[in-house]
């Protein structure tokens, strides 16, 4: 063994020993506890407790009966997003007349600013009828009154959207992804909305 080899071995041993001297007083569990203190604890987000799970508002059998499809072909997917805690969404999907991923989106939403905007639900429906809704290319779609069994509502066949409220707390929405003429789609929406309580 040469002097260089012995020196390198001794130097490696000294470096290893010096790097561990600061740790010898702490157990592994102490180190884990220190790491846990350093990791920020994330607040668990939950949906507004007043907003029902949209997937429980209506059943696949009810949708199938109204639209005239086989309920066994309908799949359900929760479309809610924790970025919008006041909105719950559910997709009811199936292949409709040869078109895959057809279906119905059902939503329930509560007032996003209850302290600042107490008459939100009334204003929301009124603004759809009076001001409409802009598309991504700034085309304005005006809404008509919708009587879906609630206090008041608004709909636009081109957008395939139907909004209504049963009280001052929640607004419900049905959006269709089905090719249908206005009288047919409106009849579907009226029947489905009357089932959502």
């Amino acid at each position: 063994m040469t002097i260089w080899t012995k020196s390198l071995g001794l130097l490696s041993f000294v470096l290893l020993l010096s790097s561990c001297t600061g740790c010898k007083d702490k157990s592994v569990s102490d180190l884990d506890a220190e790491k846990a203190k350093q990791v920020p604890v994330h607040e668990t987000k939950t949906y507004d407790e007043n907003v029902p799970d949209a997937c429980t508002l209506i059943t696949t059998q009810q949708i199938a009966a109204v639209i005239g499809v086989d309920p066994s072909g309908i799949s359900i997917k929760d479309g809610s997003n924790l970025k919008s805690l006041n909105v719950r969404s559910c997709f009811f999907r199936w292949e409709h007349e040869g078109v895959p991923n057809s279906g119905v989106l059902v939503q329930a939403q509560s007032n996003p600013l209850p302290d600042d905007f107490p008459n939100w639900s009334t204003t929301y429906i009124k603004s759809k009828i009076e001001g409409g809704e802009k598309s991504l290319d700034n085309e304005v779609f005006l809404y008509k009154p919708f009587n879906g069994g609630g206090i008041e509502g608004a709909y636009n066949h081109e957008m395939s959207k139907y909004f209504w409220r049963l009280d001052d707390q929640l607004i419900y929405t049905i959006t269709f992804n089905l090719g249908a003429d206005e009288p047919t789609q409106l009849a579907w929406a009226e029947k489905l909305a009357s089932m959502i309580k």
Side-chain angles (χ1 to χ4, degrees), residues 8 45 48 149 154:
L8 281 175
K45 291 184 174 183
D48 179 340

Side-chain angles (χ1 to χ4, degrees), residues 42-143:
H42 295 289
E43 185 179 310
T44 303
K45 291 184 174 183
T46 58
Y47 294 104
D48 179 340
E49 63 186 27
N50 298 315
V51 181
D53 178 349
C55 293
T56 65
L57 293 174
I58 197 160
T59 67
T60 56
Q61 289 78 12
Q62 289 172 312
I63 289 176
V66 169
I67 309 283
V69 296
D70 180 2
S72 66
I74 300 175
S75 65
I76 299 174
K77 182 176 182 350
D78 188 335
S80 303
N81 184 331
L82 284 171
K83 290 181 180 177
S84 298
L85 299 176
N86 68 311
V87 181
R88 299 293 304 268
S89 305
C90 190
F91 295 102
F92 294 85
R93 258 191 315 214
W94 67 92
E95 183 174 313
H96 188 73
E97 298 178 356
V99 180
N101 294 318
S102 297
V104 177
L105 169 68
V106 176
Q107 287 184 314
Q109 59 184 321
S110 66
N111 187 342
L113 303 166
D115 295 333
D116 299 332
F117 201 15
N119 59 344
W120 163 80
S121 65
T122 306
T123 305
Y124 188 90
I125 299 292
K126 188 177 179 181
S127 72
K128 293 288 182 192
I129 295 171
E130 293 179 358
E133 182 177 336
K134 280 189 180 180
S135 67
L136 294 175
D137 59 355
N138 288 326
E139 183 178 356
V140 177
F141 291 91
L142 296 176
Y143 282 70

Side-chain angles (χ1 to χ4, degrees), residues 10-30:
L10 184 59
L11 182 61
S12 297
F13 179 74
V14 170
L15 287 173
L16 181 62
L17 188 59
S18 67
S19 67
C20 288
T21 56
C23 299
K24 69 180 181 181
D25 295 333
K26 295 184 180 182
S27 67
V28 172
S29 61
D30 290 340

